[in-house]
Amino acid sequence: MKEEKIPDQEELEDKVIATETVKGNTDNPADLTGLGEETNKVVEEVVENKVYTYVEQMPTPPGGMEGLLSYLGKTIKYPALALRNQVEGKVFISFVVGPTGGITDVKVTKGIGAGCDEEAVRVIKAMPAWTPGKQNGRPVSVSYTVPVTFAIK
């Protein structure tokens, strides 16, 4: 590789430095059709369809957490089999709070059996709509898990 010598000031004094504008390829402009308002709708749809685990504003049950606890207390009927067998414990129920606040995709994450799991699912499915969670100011689907405690009093 040949090493290029950098000219000093004296060598450059008698040189003529030319400027030439290089014209770019403007004969074939890029096709920008379809980059208008239409693409924003696609972005919104993607945001709406994703189920988030954590968002800027989490969904809240009607009446807040106190409202949720009182609703569960009033609505749950202790299963007869669980009472007979003295079954107590927590059933963890996961579900999705949709962009409208509706409850969908109700599943038992951790159950205790004896009819308690089914009762917890029934009560969660019958729950009134929540205030939906929000991400970037838009209501979105958020996955949520609630422990439902069964205790014989």
Side-chain angles (χ1 to χ4, degrees):
M1 185 169 148
K2 186 180 158 201
E3 208 172 298
E4 193 176 329
K5 187 176 154 276
I6 297 171
D8 61 6
Q9 194 67 37
E10 291 167 6
E11 285 180 90
L12 292 175
E13 279 177 5
D14 60 336
K15 302 276 188 225
V16 176
I17 297 175
T19 58
E20 183 182 325
T21 305
V22 177
K23 185 178 179 283
N25 183 6
T26 56
D27 304 332
N28 190 7
D31 182 23
L32 299 177
T33 56
L35 286 180
E37 291 301 306
E38 298 303 311
T39 54
N40 292 343
K41 289 180 185 163
V42 175
V43 172
E44 283 173 26
E45 284 170 23
V46 171
V47 170
E48 304 270 321
N49 293 338
K50 182 179 175 193
V51 176
Y52 291 83
T53 314
Y54 191 80
V55 287
E56 291 163 1
Q57 193 179 328
M58 289 299 280
T60 49
M65 280 303 155
E66 296 80 27
L68 174 64
L69 292 173
S70 75
Y71 166 78
L72 292 174
K74 281 187 230 146
T75 317
I76 285 182
K77 305 274 181 274
Y78 216 110
L81 180 64
L83 271 174
R84 260 200 310 277
N85 297 325
Q86 299 289 297
V87 174
E88 291 185 306
K90 282 185 181 171
V91 177
F92 289 87
I93 304 288
S94 73
F95 53 91
V96 174
V97 179
T100 59
I103 306 293
T104 56
D105 205 17
V106 182
K107 291 189 199 100
V108 176
T109 314
K110 182 174 178 262
I112 55 173
C116 294
D117 304 355
E118 293 78 5
E119 177 62 8
V121 167
R122 180 191 72 81
V123 169
I124 295 292
K125 279 185 176 174
M127 208 170 10
W130 286 34
T131 304
K134 287 185 177 178
Q135 185 70 15
N136 297 328
R138 282 199 200 97
V140 292
S141 296
V142 182
S143 120
Y144 210 88
T145 303
V146 170
V148 179
T149 307
F150 286 87
I152 300 168
K153 292 185 173 106

